[in-house]
C-alpha cells in the first residue's frame, strides 16, 4: 500500500468534495478494489472518510473536515510556520494571532528570526506608509493616482492600476497598467513622489512575461575605485566584475548604459572613482564635475 497514494486521495477529496471509486482508480492507476482498501486504511487512521452506495453515491469526507497536525511531519510543520512568519515580517498580513494558534496546534515554537523595514535610512515612516498603501491597492484592486519623476527629472501625474510589487537589484518597483498610456509600465518606488488611493476598482490583468530575446548589448565600462570605498564596490558590483589591485584599489569591468543615471551614480563616488574607458564617458563626467565646481566656487 502506498502512503503517498493515501495522501493524494485525501487531498483530491478535500478539493473535489467527493469522487467515485472508478474515478479514483483511473486517476491513480489502480483497481477500484484497491481504492476501497485505501478508504478502509484512511478510516482506520482516524480520517472521517466514508463510501456511500447507490446511483448518486461515492466516496466522501465529512463536510467540516480539515487537516490537523497529524497530517504534517515535524519538518513540514516547522516550514509552514517559518513561511508564514516570513510573510508576516514582510508586512503582507497581520498574522501574529494565526501564528500563535498554529504554533500551539503544531506544538512547534518558532524563533523571531526575521525583521524587514522598507524605509530608507533617515526616512522612518514614509516608505513603509507608501508600501502599505500599495499593498492595499493591489490586494483590493483599487486604482491609484501617482506623481512620478523619471530619470530625466520630468514629473508626470498618472492614474494606474497596480498589479504587483517587485524587488530587483536592491530596489523596489511597481508593476502596473497605466491608463494614460494604455499599456503596462514599471515605476521605481523611490521616484513615486506622491501617492493617492482611489475608490475606483478594476479587474486585474496579468502583467506580461518578459519576451525571451537576447538583451541589447551595453557599452563596456572600466572604472578604477580607491580602496577607501571598498564597502561600496562590494555592495554594488558582482564579485566577477571586481579585480583587486596590489595596492588595495579596485578595477571594475562591467556593462552599463551611458545615461544621466550613470553620470549621477558615478558622481556619488566623488574623487574615489576614475573612468578608464570609454573616453566619452570620462569626458562627460569631467564636464559635470567642472559644472559642480563652478556652482559651488563662484
Amino acid at each position: 500500500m502506498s502512503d503517498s497514494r493515501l495522501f493524494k486521495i485525501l487531498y483530491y477529496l478535500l478539493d473535489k468534495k467527493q469522487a467515485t471509486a472508478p474515478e479514483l482508480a483511473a486517476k491513480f492507476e489502480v483497481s477500484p478494489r484497491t481504492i476501497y482498501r485505501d478508504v478502509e486504511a484512511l478510516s482506520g487512521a482516524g480520517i472521517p472518510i466514508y463510501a456511500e452506495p447507490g446511483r448518486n453515491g461515492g466516496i466522501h469526507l465529512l463536510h467540516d473536515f480539515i487537516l490537523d497536525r497529524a497530517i504534517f511531519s515535524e519538518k513540514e510543520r516547522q516550514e509552514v510556520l517559518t513561511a508564514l512568519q516570513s510573510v508576516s515580517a514582510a508586512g503582507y498580513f497581520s498574522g501574529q494571532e494565526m501564528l500563535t494558534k498554529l504554533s500551539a496546534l503544531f506544538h512547534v515554537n518558532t524563533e523571531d528570526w526575521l525583521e524587514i523595514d522598507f524605509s530608507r535610512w533617515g526616512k522612518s515612516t514614509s516608505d513603509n506608509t507608501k508600501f502599505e498603501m500599495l499593498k492595499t491597492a493591489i490586494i483590493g484592486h483599487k486604482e491609484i493616482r501617482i506623481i512620478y519623476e523619471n530619470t530625466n527629472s520630468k514629473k508626470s501625474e498618472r492614474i494606474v492600476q497596480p498589479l504587483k510589487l517587485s524587488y530587483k537589484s536592491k530596489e523596489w518597483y511597481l508593476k502596473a497598467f497605466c491608463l494614460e498610456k494604455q499599456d503596462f509600465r514599471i515605476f521605481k518606488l523611490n521616484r513615486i513622489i506622491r501617492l493617492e488611493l482611489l475608490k475606483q476598482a478594476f479587474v486585474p490583468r496579468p502583467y506580461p512575461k518578459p519576451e525571451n530575446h537576447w538583451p541589447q548589448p551595453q557599452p563596456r565600462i572600466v572604472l578604477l575605485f580607491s580602496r577607501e570605498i571598498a564597502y561600496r564596490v562590494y555592495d554594488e558590483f558582482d564579485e566577477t566584475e571586481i579585480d583587486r589591485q596590489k595596492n588595495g584599489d579596485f578595477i571594475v569591468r562591467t556593462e552599463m548604459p551611458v545615461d544621466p543615471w550613470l553620470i549621477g551614480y558615478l558622481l556619488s563616488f566623488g574623487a574615489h572613482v576614475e573612468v578608464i574607458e570609454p573616453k566619452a564617458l570620462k569626458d562627460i563626467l569631467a564636464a559635470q564635475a567642472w559644472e559642480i565646481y563652478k556652482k559651488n566656487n563662484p
Side-chain angles (χ1 to χ4, degrees):
M1 181 181 298
S2 170
D3 290 341
S4 174
R5 188 176 66 248
L6 294 181
F7 283 117
K8 289 177 181 178
I9 291 173
L10 178 57
Y11 296 143
Y12 187 83
L13 291 174
L14 282 168
D15 180 45
K16 302 296 184 180
K17 308 306 180 189
Q18 71 174 43
T20 65
E23 177 185 349
L24 292 172
K27 180 171 180 61
F28 298 110
E29 299 180 344
V30 295
S31 68
R33 183 183 296 272
T34 298
I35 292 297
Y36 283 120
R37 285 201 299 265
D38 290 342
V39 169
E40 290 179 2
L42 287 168
S43 179
I47 304 298
I49 187 172
Y50 62 97
E52 190 175 57
R55 184 177 178 182
N56 297 318
I59 298 170
H60 307 257
L61 288 169
L62 286 182
H63 178 68
D64 58 351
F65 172 72
I66 60 173
L67 290 174
D68 68 11
R69 65 185 180 89
I71 299 300
F72 296 95
S73 68
E74 181 178 352
K75 181 180 179 182
E76 289 171 334
R77 296 197 296 269
Q78 182 66 63
E79 288 177 350
V80 167
L81 290 173
T82 300
L84 285 175
Q85 190 179 48
S86 302
V87 174
S88 179
Y92 287 104
F93 80 111
S94 301
Q96 189 55 49
E97 184 178 353
M98 182 191 301
L99 284 169
T100 300
K101 289 180 179 178
L102 285 175
S103 295
L105 176 65
F106 288 167
H107 294 299
V108 173
N109 292 321
T110 58
E111 298 294 334
D112 187 12
W113 65 280
L114 181 65
E115 180 178 334
I116 297 177
D117 186 349
F118 290 104
S119 64
R120 289 163 284 177
W121 294 109
K123 292 198 171 186
S124 59
T125 60
S126 61
D127 286 341
N128 284 330
T129 300
K130 182 189 298 182
F131 189 91
E132 186 66 28
M133 289 180 66
L134 287 172
K135 180 189 74 172
T136 300
I138 293 170
I139 294 176
H141 304 150
K142 299 293 185 181
E143 293 178 356
I144 58 173
R145 179 182 288 111
I146 63 172
I147 304 295
Y148 188 75
E149 184 162 338
N150 64 18
T151 54
N152 296 318
S153 299
K154 181 180 179 181
K155 292 181 182 179
S156 61
E157 180 176 317
R158 312 277 190 94
I159 295 180
V160 303
Q161 297 173 342
L163 302 172
K164 184 182 294 186
L165 285 172
S166 173
Y167 184 79
K168 184 176 178 62
S169 187
K170 304 178 184 179
E171 297 288 350
W172 282 98
Y173 298 88
L174 171 66
K175 292 184 175 182
F177 185 83
C178 178
L179 296 183
E180 176 186 344
K181 303 296 184 182
Q182 284 296 297
D183 200 0
F184 296 95
R185 290 290 188 269
I186 296 180
F187 302 95
K188 192 172 183 180
L189 257 62
N190 289 345
R191 295 180 189 156
I192 298 179
I193 301 172
R194 191 175 306 159
L195 172 63
E196 179 186 356
L197 182 63
L198 305 178
K199 295 181 179 180
Q200 180 64 41
F202 66 92
V203 177
R205 60 196 86 192
Y207 194 90
K209 294 182 179 180
E211 296 181 3
N212 187 21
H213 58 72
W214 293 102
Q216 294 295 322
Q218 304 289 356
R220 181 174 183 267
I221 296 173
V222 182
L223 306 168
L224 172 63
F225 292 96
S226 64
R227 57 184 177 274
E228 289 81 7
I229 208 73
Y231 67 96
R232 283 195 63 185
V233 174
Y234 286 121
D235 276 351
E236 300 175 33
F237 295 95
D238 189 87
E239 60 181 14
T240 61
E241 301 174 323
I242 302 170
D243 183 12
R244 186 156 193 168
Q245 307 300 292
K246 291 183 178 180
N247 66 352
D249 292 345
F250 301 88
I251 295 288
V252 172
R253 296 175 178 85
T254 187
E255 294 180 354
M256 302 175 73
V258 177
D259 57 15
W261 179 89
L262 177 61
I263 304 304
Y265 173 70
L266 293 177
L267 286 171
S268 72
F269 288 92
H272 292 294
V273 64
E274 177 186 349
V275 176
I276 305 301
E277 59 178 83
K279 185 178 183 303
L281 176 59
K282 189 182 187 77
D283 294 341
I284 294 172
L285 193 66
Q288 287 290 317
W290 176 245
E291 291 298 322
I292 293 173
Y293 173 81
K294 288 193 297 182
K295 285 186 177 180
N296 290 278
N297 291 275

